[in-house]
Amino acid sequence: MAIEGRHAGLEDEDFYSFTLDECSRRRVWTAEEMRLFEEIGRRLGDALTKLSTLGDLQRRDAYLSEAQRLSQSASWAWNAASNGFVHWSRGRLPLLGPDSGQFPTLEEVRQSIHPEDRDAWSERFARAIRERSGFELEYRSLLPDGGVKHFRTVAHPVLDGSGGLLEFVGTVIDITAEKRAEAEHRSH
């Protein structure tokens, strides 16, 4: 009997293949063979756990993506050591144009902000880095098609054990409809 296992998402080292001879008579397994069977069982158990965990993570990711789509928001993480983004959620709003699969640079994000709001955004982000403090701010962004959107960013710092800044984790929320409704309400 030959048994092989491979699943999408598992690495090559997670590929298991083993063969057992058919036995037409009862036999006593040696201690080495028993250890081999135990190892095979352990590896099968590990593979099944990985498959289950992978499925759970994919399901959670799908739920989060749908929630962010419905709420018109995106999540991000910025790393202090690299001075760069290490995460942007899929569909990251029209803030920077279509999702290219690459994380934007801090300067690309800054350049996407309306020129009248850019300095305030930069100063607030720099102050949050210096003070290792959370922040919330609203600003306008210029879209690649020339349109303007309003966004709210909320973020908090992640600190190491000695209080040093590791990263900021935050969200960007499209508040354009809210801003339009406020403007319409004021005009009446």
Side-chain angles (χ1 to χ4, degrees):
M1 171 192 335
I3 300 175
E4 293 185 354
R6 183 185 299 268
H7 185 275
L10 295 180
E11 302 296 327
D12 285 339
E13 66 268 12
D14 294 324
F15 176 77
Y16 301 107
S17 177
F18 55 92
T19 304
L20 297 175
D21 293 327
E22 273 191 50
C23 297
S24 58
R25 66 184 193 305
R26 184 175 260 252
R27 72 173 280 199
V28 176
W29 301 105
T30 66
E32 185 177 331
E33 290 169 326
M34 291 302 292
R35 281 191 299 278
L36 174 64
F37 292 143
E38 287 170 2
E39 178 64 15
I40 290 167
R42 186 189 65 73
R43 287 186 181 202
L44 283 173
D46 290 349
L48 290 172
T49 299
K50 283 182 180 183
L51 287 173
S52 176
T53 301
L54 179 63
D56 289 347
L57 290 173
Q58 288 171 335
R59 192 170 28 264
R60 288 180 190 165
D61 187 50
Y63 290 151
L64 177 60
S65 292
E66 183 63 8
Q68 289 181 331
R69 185 188 68 77
L70 292 170
S71 64
Q72 296 184 324
S73 64
S75 58
W76 55 268
W78 174 86
N79 181 275
S82 68
N83 190 28
F85 289 98
V86 293
H87 168 75
W88 269 94
S89 57
R90 283 192 301 252
R92 62 182 185 212
L93 302 173
L95 177 65
L96 300 164
D99 188 350
S100 66
Q102 299 291 319
F103 300 136
T105 66
L106 195 56
E107 185 58 24
E108 287 171 329
V109 171
R110 188 182 170 305
Q111 289 301 316
S112 74
I113 295 171
H114 193 285
E116 294 174 9
D117 298 343
R118 201 172 286 155
D119 288 341
W121 183 91
S122 296
E123 289 169 16
R124 184 62 189 101
F125 193 70
R127 186 170 80 225
I129 293 169
R130 269 192 323 275
E131 296 174 359
R132 297 181 305 278
S133 62
F135 64 94
E136 180 173 341
L137 60 122
E138 293 182 5
Y139 54 92
R140 295 165 293 166
S141 279
L142 294 173
L143 302 179
D145 67 5
V148 174
K149 289 261 188 185
H150 293 260
F151 293 100
R152 177 180 297 125
T153 292
V154 180
H156 72 270
V158 176
L159 307 176
D160 63 20
S162 60
L165 179 64
L166 295 173
E167 63 186 12
F168 276 98
V169 176
T171 187
V172 178
I173 306 158
D174 184 341
I175 59 170
T176 305
E178 180 182 322
K179 291 295 185 181
R180 284 187 186 137
E182 288 173 7
E184 190 175 303
H185 180 71
R186 281 193 305 270
S187 69
H188 288 97

